[in-house]
Amino acid sequence: MEKSAERCSDKFKRLLISCVLFFIVSPLFARPPSWAYMWSLRFKPVEDIVYTSIESSFAVEIANVTPDTVQLSVNSLPKNVSFLSSRKETVYIQLPAENGGGYATGTKVIITMIFSKTGTYRISPIDLTIEGGFYRIPFETVEVFENPLFITPETMIEFDSAYENKKEILMSAGEKAKFTVYAKFLASVKDIYWTCPEDCVLKEVERFDATFKQQNFFTEYLPVATFEWQPLKEGSFLTPDFFITASLYNGNLNEIKCASRKVTVKKNAAPSVTNEKKTRKSGLLKNAFEEAETEKHVVSVSEISDSEAEYLASLYQKEVNSFPYFSSAYRERCRFEKEHGLIKNNPLGSKILLLILFVLCIILLVLCVVIYIFSTKIKFIVLTACFSVCVLCTVLYSFKVYSKKGVYTGRFMYSIPEENVPASVIVKKGNLVQVERDAGAWIYVSYNKTYGWIKEKNVHLLK
């Protein structure tokens, strides 16, 4: 019995040890998500419309990943954008048909931000570390609108196209003109009424009662009513006063006065078709001559060709193999950049100057050995300090000389190595870029204190 009990105890211990080893070792063999799959993901707004002064969430779902294996960091955000919080939760994700369909467990990453001003925002990608792999997931471009709770309704009056002429409407006495009253940032319109001045006739033609009944937030002007107006005497007038009784998004019922338009009424003021054509023609001729005169004072800077970019790269290469500031290649390169409107760069690292620093280090090293044998310790310490400084300068300068650079012949810089995403930076053709690292057909570069990905085939690398 004792032997049987001992055997059972040994088996239980072995089973327990095997289970512990399995849970420890299994994460080491977990496969991180593929790059192609991660690059296809985007942080998308959770809400249909993003407003100012209210929390807005952006989410992305990653299949076959558990929340405890995901670590994230938020990069610098644009102005007027504040980071509030982030969270991760387990979700069931529907797989696409090409992957067999069905559902799989995954992780939903939610980022919460707040926007203080309206506008279009491009938010920097979020850095994710998943099971040892590093990824960057970008955001979709975000359009932010004013918070409906605080927004002020806006109105306008628009005449038919036949009467629109800059800011002032020109009409003839007794002529009838149609115009429409528009409004936006209203939840619903209850009624519209008006006051008609003397010496004119005003008639309502059509009312758009169904325009604001959907109770959705609209950012464009929507029609409220169309009128026919007939001024009876000459002079300068304002359109009749219109008042809209409307419900706002904060629940209040307000009376809104519409903005008026200035109208000039003259005898036979409306231009004929022939005169209108002549006016347009003379205006076009006048604008053409004005543009021609203006162009005389404009110096156009054309984009350089591929051969010119290759020539600029050869100038940079000659500059590296000559003494800084004093070489003809440096002067020619500065002239070329100024002529084509490129960013002027400081002299590149010189191999000749690096060689001089290296020789100086050897001389100081020999002197240190001689002073150590034949002279005092104070002189030895001073020379050793000089030698250390010289070695440090040589090492740092060597990084400048042998850092990978190239002349860019493309146009755009991307936040991730993929052409389907929106370009983050526009780089003028012919500017110098610093290569930070390679990734196959793509290289990660820095340009004018900005970092991004570009195609390697679009760079003339310096050798």
Side-chain angles (χ1 to χ4, degrees):
M1 292 291 293
E2 291 179 358
K3 290 183 179 179
S4 176
E6 288 179 359
R7 290 194 192 98
C8 292
S9 177
D10 291 340
K11 290 181 179 179
F12 177 75
K13 290 179 180 179
R14 291 172 183 171
L15 180 62
L16 181 62
I17 292 172
S18 300
C19 292
V20 171
L21 290 175
F22 173 78
F23 285 109
I24 294 175
V25 175
S26 59
L28 299 177
F29 295 94
R31 296 183 62 186
S34 66
W35 284 83
Y37 170 68
M38 295 299 292
W39 285 344
S40 66
L41 301 179
R42 297 291 183 271
F43 277 96
K44 299 180 180 180
V46 176
E47 299 81 12
D48 293 333
I49 303 177
V50 180
Y51 300 113
T52 59
S53 306
I54 192 172
E55 295 183 5
S56 302
S57 298
F58 300 82
V60 66
E61 294 180 347
I62 309 172
N64 301 317
V65 169
T66 56
D68 58 329
T69 61
V70 179
Q71 297 179 350
L72 63 91
S73 62
V74 179
N75 295 308
S76 60
L77 296 173
K79 190 178 179 181
N80 304 319
V81 182
S82 302
F83 171 78
L84 296 181
S85 63
S86 65
R87 70 179 189 271
K88 299 169 289 184
E89 57 188 35
T90 302
V91 292
Y92 284 96
I93 302 173
Q94 186 174 4
L95 299 177
E98 55 266 25
N99 292 340
Y103 290 85
T105 57
T107 298
K108 186 176 185 178
V109 181
I110 303 172
I111 307 292
T112 304
M113 302 178 183
I114 190 167
F115 299 83
S116 60
K117 289 188 178 181
T118 61
T120 303
Y121 292 86
R122 284 186 176 180
I123 304 174
S124 302
I126 297 294
D127 294 339
L128 294 180
T129 304
I130 303 175
E131 298 173 345
F134 176 78
Y135 309 92
R136 306 193 85 184
I137 300 181
F139 285 77
E140 287 187 346
T141 302
V142 184
E143 183 74 16
V144 180
F145 298 95
E146 189 68 41
N147 194 321
L149 299 178
F150 312 112
I151 198 167
T152 303
E154 297 180 13
T155 61
M156 74 171 186
I157 294 175
E158 187 176 83
F159 280 76
D160 288 349
S161 58
Y163 298 95
E164 289 288 345
N165 182 20
K166 298 183 179 180
K167 295 182 179 179
E168 186 176 349
I169 306 299
L170 191 62
M171 294 179 58
S172 298
E175 184 180 1
K176 296 180 180 180
K178 284 186 179 181
F179 59 79
T180 303
V181 177
Y182 289 86
K184 67 177 179 179
F185 306 140
L186 301 177
S188 62
V189 174
K190 304 300 181 181
D191 195 13
I192 180 172
Y193 63 95
W194 55 91
T195 60
C196 185
E198 295 180 355
D199 299 316
C200 71
V201 178
L202 182 65
K203 182 176 67 174
E204 184 178 2
V205 177
E206 183 180 4
R207 184 172 296 196
F208 304 91
D209 293 329
T211 300
F212 293 90
K213 287 186 177 180
Q214 300 180 31
Q215 296 291 329
N216 291 332
F217 179 74
F218 296 97
T219 59
E220 65 274 8
Y221 281 99
L222 297 178
V224 179
T226 298
F227 297 86
E228 185 182 81
W229 184 46
Q230 183 182 17
L232 302 177
K233 68 176 184 178
E234 301 174 10
S236 294
F237 306 95
L238 293 177
T239 53
D241 292 331
F242 293 91
F243 301 88
I244 299 175
T245 304
S247 175
L248 307 186
Y249 285 97
N250 58 11
N252 296 333
L253 187 66
N254 283 17
E255 183 178 272
I256 304 156
K257 182 180 179 181
C258 299
S260 301
R261 295 285 300 274
K262 185 178 179 181
V263 179
T264 300
V265 181
K266 294 183 179 181
K267 189 175 181 180
N268 299 325
S272 64
V273 176
T274 306
N275 292 334
E276 186 178 0
K277 287 183 178 180
K278 289 181 179 178
T279 304
R280 290 181 180 177
K281 185 175 181 181
S282 62
L284 289 172
L285 290 173
K286 183 180 178 182
N287 291 337
F289 284 117
E290 287 178 353
E291 289 175 3
E293 291 177 359
T294 305
E295 287 175 357
K296 292 179 182 178
H297 302 282
V298 178
V299 178
S300 62
V301 179
S302 60
E303 194 174 62
I304 67 173
S305 61
D306 290 339
S307 59
E308 288 175 327
E310 188 175 358
Y311 171 68
L312 182 59
S314 67
L315 290 178
Y316 274 115
Q317 191 62 54
K318 291 178 182 178
E319 188 179 334
V320 171
N321 295 324
S322 59
F323 204 80
Y325 291 103
F326 300 104
S327 66
S328 59
Y330 170 71
R331 293 192 294 271
E332 172 63 18
R333 190 259 296 174
C334 292
R335 183 200 63 78
F336 185 89
E337 289 175 338
K338 183 178 180 181
E339 180 181 339
H340 292 82
L342 302 174
I343 295 177
K344 181 182 178 181
N345 294 287
N346 294 324
L348 302 183
S350 171
K351 292 182 180 180
I352 294 177
L353 186 56
L354 180 63
L355 180 61
I356 293 173
L357 289 173
F358 181 72
V359 172
L360 184 59
C361 288
I362 294 176
I363 294 173
L364 288 175
L365 178 60
V366 173
L367 288 176
C368 286
V369 174
V370 173
I371 293 298
Y372 179 77
I373 297 174
F374 299 103
S375 187
T376 61
K377 290 185 178 180
I378 297 177
K379 292 182 180 180
F380 172 73
I381 292 172
V382 172
L383 275 176
T384 303
C386 293
F387 171 72
S388 302
V389 172
C390 188
V391 169
L392 179 62
C393 292
T394 304
V395 173
L396 294 177
Y397 195 71
S398 65
F399 284 114
K400 182 178 180 180
V401 172
Y402 291 103
S403 60
K404 206 172 180 181
K405 304 179 183 69
V407 176
Y408 188 42
T409 60
R411 184 168 179 80
F412 300 108
M413 186 184 293
Y414 302 89
S415 57
I416 61 173
E418 186 177 344
E419 289 183 329
N420 294 330
V421 300
S424 58
V425 178
I426 296 177
V427 182
K428 187 173 182 180
K429 191 174 181 180
N431 279 305
L432 189 71
V433 294
Q434 172 85 37
V435 180
E436 302 296 333
R437 66 175 182 268
D438 300 338
W442 292 82
I443 53 177
Y444 190 65
V445 300
S446 61
Y447 161 75
N448 199 20
K449 298 182 181 179
T450 305
Y451 294 82
W453 292 90
I454 61 176
K455 281 286 190 73
E456 186 178 13
K457 66 180 183 179
N458 295 331
V459 181
H460 287 291
L461 295 174
L462 306 185
K463 300 178 182 179

